[in-house]
């Protein structure tokens, strides 16, 4: 297992280098002079040159890139043009909102996707299988912002059961925190649940036809025991990969959902940064997203090695 983890960590290094190089290159893709943008429209050419020198924008590109890398190592993501505050500080302030939303969405995806996949995969061709298949197709095809607006219309405006916008920290109580996250988490998590259900159904059908499952059934074990103790562990191996990808997708997909539900998280911060052309903020959010995705991929690889002994022996 340690050898597998070491190999995955080594593979991450070139990936991070490529990602940081692409993120640094964003400075050349945004129209206009960054120094002039920071100094303001009314700044004189002398003031623009002073800002350019302070930010190191007058240095060669390689020097700027290595300064950017050293800043990342020190945890310095620069200063936001718009908010005039450290980007890392702003990301840390908004991270609890996005992290809470993503985690509740993951719980929704698991609570819906795993039972649906097991039911469909253990009874292929039955009405339960057709119903879960139809639900999965609908979940994948429906845009999350459309589902979010429908949920607000029904549960907030009509039934007045849950708040439509805003966020309450967990420190103020479990229900106030959860009540503000339920609707956006459902809108965000149902598409992931559909993907998990489809993958788990396919894996379950394949595993249920294996000899060891037939042997367990022939020995008189209950259907529940065969499903949960013998079939599900092996069927969940490819599903773990899909789950890891879906968690990364959920983190990235919060941008639209946070805008719909008025949540001041990283997604909303990213949207506002793009609209205002705030380059350091855009770079900071992208770098954070890359690191989060890499960590999730690493955790998926480790879980894959835990569930599949052949992956450990091949490392």
């Amino acid at each position: 297992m340690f050898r597998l983890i070491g190999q995955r960590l080594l593979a991450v290094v070139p990936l991070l280098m490529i990602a940081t190089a692409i993120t640094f290159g964003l400075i050349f893709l945004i129209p206009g002079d960054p120094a002039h943008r920071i100094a303001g429209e009314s700044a004189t050419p002398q003031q623009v040159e002073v800002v350019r020198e302070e930010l190191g924008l007058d240095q060669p590109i390689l020097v700027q890139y290595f300064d950017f890398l050293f800043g990342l190592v020190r945890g310095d993501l620069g200063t936001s043009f718009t908010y005039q505050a450290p980007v890392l500080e702003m990301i840390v302030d908004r991270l609890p909102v996005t992290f809470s939303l993503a985690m509740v969405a993951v719980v929704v995806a698991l609570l819906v996707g795993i039972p649906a996949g097991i039911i469909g995969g253990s009874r292929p061709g039955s009405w339960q299988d057709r119903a879960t298949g139809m639900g999965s197709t609908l979940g994948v095809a429906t845009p999350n912002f459309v589902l979010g607006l429908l949920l607000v219309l029904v549960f907030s405006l009509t039934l007045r059961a849950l708040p439509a916008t805003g966020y309450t920290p967990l420190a103020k109580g479990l229900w106030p925190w959860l009540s503000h996250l339920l609707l956006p988490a459902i809108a965000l998590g149902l598409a992931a649940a559909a993907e998990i259900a489809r993958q788990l159904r396919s894996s379950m059908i394949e595993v249920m036809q294996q000899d060891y499952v037939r042997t367990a059934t022939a020995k008189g074990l209950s259907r529940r025991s065969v499903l949960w103790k013998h079939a599900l562990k092996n069927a969940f191996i490819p599903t773990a990969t899909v789950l890891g990808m879906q968690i990364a997708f959920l983190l990235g997909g919060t941008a639209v959902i946070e805008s719909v539900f008025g949540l001041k998280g990283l997604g909303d911060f990213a949207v506002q940064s793009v609209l205002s052309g705030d380059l350091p903020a855009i770079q900071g959010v992208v770098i954070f997203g890359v690191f989060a995705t890499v960590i999730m991929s690493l955790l998926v690889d480790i879980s894959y090695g835990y569930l599949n002994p052949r992956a450990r022996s091949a490392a």
Side-chain angles (χ1 to χ4, degrees), residues 27-283:
I27 194 172
F28 303 106
L29 299 179
I30 295 180
D33 184 354
H36 192 274
R37 190 180 304 118
I38 297 173
E41 295 295 330
S42 58
T44 65
Q46 291 77 15
Q47 291 172 324
V48 172
E49 288 305 315
V50 170
V51 172
R52 191 190 313 280
E53 186 176 351
E54 288 177 349
L55 297 178
L57 296 176
D58 57 338
Q59 299 294 321
I61 292 178
L62 277 179
V63 175
Q64 293 184 44
Y65 175 62
F66 282 110
D67 287 342
F68 177 71
L69 285 183
F70 290 140
L72 292 181
V73 173
R74 298 194 307 270
D76 181 10
L77 298 179
T79 302
S80 167
F81 294 166
T82 305
Y83 300 96
Q84 293 299 311
V87 173
L88 181 61
E89 183 178 303
M90 301 195 69
I91 289 177
V92 171
D93 287 342
R94 292 170 177 256
L95 183 59
V97 179
T98 300
F99 183 76
S100 299
L101 174 59
M103 289 304 101
V104 177
V106 169
V107 173
V108 170
L110 292 176
L111 289 179
V112 176
I114 291 180
I118 293 175
I119 292 172
S122 61
R123 296 182 176 86
S126 65
W127 69 267
Q128 295 97 330
D129 182 28
R130 290 194 291 273
T132 55
M134 186 180 301
S136 299
T137 303
L138 194 61
V140 172
T142 306
N144 54 21
F145 68 90
V146 173
L147 181 59
L149 292 175
L150 290 175
L151 291 172
V152 168
L153 180 64
V154 175
F155 291 98
S156 298
L157 301 182
T158 303
L159 300 178
R160 300 187 181 280
L162 292 169
T165 59
Y167 172 77
T168 299
L170 181 58
K172 293 187 177 180
L174 179 61
W175 176 243
W177 171 77
L178 187 60
S179 63
H180 283 86
L181 292 175
L182 269 180
L183 295 184
I186 292 173
L188 193 60
L190 280 188
E195 293 289 351
I196 292 172
R198 295 172 72 172
Q199 178 60 55
L200 188 56
R201 174 191 177 275
S202 175
S203 301
M204 283 293 292
I205 292 175
E206 184 178 347
V207 169
M208 291 297 287
Q209 296 175 349
Q210 298 294 319
D211 290 340
Y212 75 93
V213 174
R214 293 177 178 174
T215 302
T217 304
K219 288 168 65 177
L221 296 179
S222 66
R223 184 173 181 81
R224 177 178 297 180
S225 178
V226 171
L227 283 176
W228 290 96
K229 291 185 178 180
H230 297 274
L232 185 58
K233 182 178 180 181
N234 287 334
F236 200 75
I237 292 174
T239 309
T241 303
V242 174
L243 177 61
M245 295 173 62
Q246 288 303 315
I247 292 176
F249 172 77
L250 290 177
L251 286 171
T254 57
V256 177
I257 289 298
E258 286 180 1
S259 299
V260 170
F261 287 91
L263 298 172
K264 300 300 180 184
L266 281 180
D268 177 75
F269 181 49
V271 171
Q272 298 303 323
S273 301
V274 171
L275 292 177
S276 62
D278 192 343
L279 183 59
I282 297 172
Q283 289 177 323

